[in-house]
Amino acid sequence: MSNLVIGIEGLVGAGKTSICRNLINLMPNTILVNGGNIYRAVIYSMMKNGSKLEELKSQGKNLDIKEMMDLLNIQIKIENNETILYINNEKISEEAIQSKEASMAVSSVAGGADHKSLFAFAKSLINKLKEDYNVIVSGRSVMKIYPECDYHFFVIADLEERVRRKCMQYNNKETIDEIRENITKRDELQKQAGFYEYSPITIEVDVTNCKSVEESTKLVFDKIKLPLLAN
């Protein structure tokens, strides 16, 4: 039986990445493609090299994300069943690409950039991995990248719960009001970019009342038909 491709998207701060990482421990022979981090790595690297956010936004459709990925020599490697990113053979830290600055920049730029070549590259990567593994794809516009997904989940949680989780992620380095404002702004940018759209197969999963990542993950895992997991 063929391997599965499972797309997982979600609201800012709802915990989709943590859910994905827990899923690969529950599903045998599974790889996580962290599409969001690929995008973040490009924007982070451009800003690190001196590009200003307003400059990136002004480039609009002329900003080809895949072309920039190649120019910046960003490589994708598989480590511990997950895609990890390198620039010139130096690993990009999770802290750097998950920072507030990188997150806001991606939300601001993504709606106007050219995604065609990046989406084509991502689909090719998924198809190659699917030959040998189940593939979990985390990111935005998953159904546009890979319409053949076997499952597509959209993880939600109410605003205050997402604020609480981001406070924990940032180790209370920012105030609750600052984080709430940041999430609200990013939500609006994501909606404007069309990244919060559902497809006919999308399954919404509300994790507001979940007390742990494991509990949130179970809500997703229980909706996957177990017989399909056999290879």
Side-chain angles (χ1 to χ4, degrees):
M1 190 172 291
S2 62
N3 293 311
L4 295 176
V5 175
I6 298 171
I8 300 184
E9 302 186 53
L11 298 178
V12 173
K16 68 180 182 301
T17 302
S18 296
I19 289 172
C20 290
R21 286 175 172 150
N22 272 268
L23 272 178
I24 62 177
N25 294 322
L26 295 176
M27 295 175 57
N29 195 44
T30 299
I31 293 289
L32 168 59
V33 175
N34 197 327
N37 274 5
I38 295 173
Y39 210 115
R40 286 166 179 265
V42 172
I43 301 301
Y44 163 78
S45 300
M46 292 177 71
M47 294 180 72
K48 187 177 179 182
N49 287 339
S51 297
K52 304 298 183 184
L53 178 56
E54 289 305 316
E55 295 173 356
L56 296 177
K57 290 168 66 176
S58 68
Q59 291 182 47
K61 291 295 182 181
N62 294 319
L63 180 60
D64 186 321
I65 299 299
K66 178 57 170 63
E67 180 181 2
M68 294 310 305
M69 181 179 172
D70 294 337
L71 288 172
L72 292 164
N73 195 23
I74 295 176
Q75 308 101 28
I76 299 175
K77 300 182 181 181
I78 304 295
E79 297 177 8
N80 298 318
N81 295 86
E82 180 178 351
T83 51
I84 302 297
L85 298 163
Y86 285 75
I87 299 177
N88 295 320
N89 296 314
E90 181 177 342
K91 185 184 291 188
I92 311 173
S93 72
E94 184 82 1
E95 182 179 1
I97 56 178
Q98 290 292 339
S99 68
K100 184 186 78 170
E101 292 74 19
S103 298
M104 183 59 72
V106 168
S107 295
S108 299
V109 172
D114 183 351
H115 303 124
K116 291 180 182 177
S117 57
L118 179 66
F119 282 8
F121 167 77
K123 184 168 186 176
S124 176
L125 174 64
I126 294 166
N127 278 331
K128 182 174 179 58
L129 291 171
K130 185 177 183 288
E131 293 176 5
D132 299 308
Y133 305 97
N134 295 305
V135 183
I136 296 172
V137 185
S138 172
R140 304 295 182 197
S141 297
V142 173
M143 291 302 294
K144 291 180 181 178
I145 296 169
Y146 205 86
E148 301 86 356
C149 278
D150 297 284
Y151 291 92
H152 181 246
F153 295 98
F154 197 93
V155 182
I156 68 169
D158 69 31
L159 177 60
E160 293 310 309
E161 176 60 18
R162 292 187 286 142
V163 169
R164 186 188 71 80
R165 295 180 187 189
K166 279 295 181 184
C167 284
M168 294 175 61
Q169 179 182 338
Y170 294 149
N171 295 317
N172 295 309
K173 293 178 181 178
E174 298 182 37
T175 68
I176 290 177
D177 288 341
E178 287 173 332
I179 290 176
R180 185 183 295 108
E181 181 181 0
N182 177 268
I183 289 177
T184 301
K185 186 173 182 180
R186 287 182 61 199
D187 273 345
E188 185 58 34
L189 289 168
Q190 302 279 18
K191 289 176 184 177
Q192 291 174 6
F195 292 154
Y196 282 176
E197 296 177 356
Y198 287 22
S199 79
I201 72 164
T202 301
I203 301 170
E204 184 180 89
V205 180
D206 190 340
V207 299
T208 300
N209 296 318
C210 293
K211 305 303 182 185
S212 65
V213 173
E214 290 75 19
E215 191 175 339
S216 298
T217 305
K218 190 174 187 301
L219 286 182
V220 173
F221 183 70
D222 286 349
K223 291 174 173 58
I224 300 170
K225 293 181 181 179
L226 293 176
L228 293 178
L229 297 180
N231 290 313

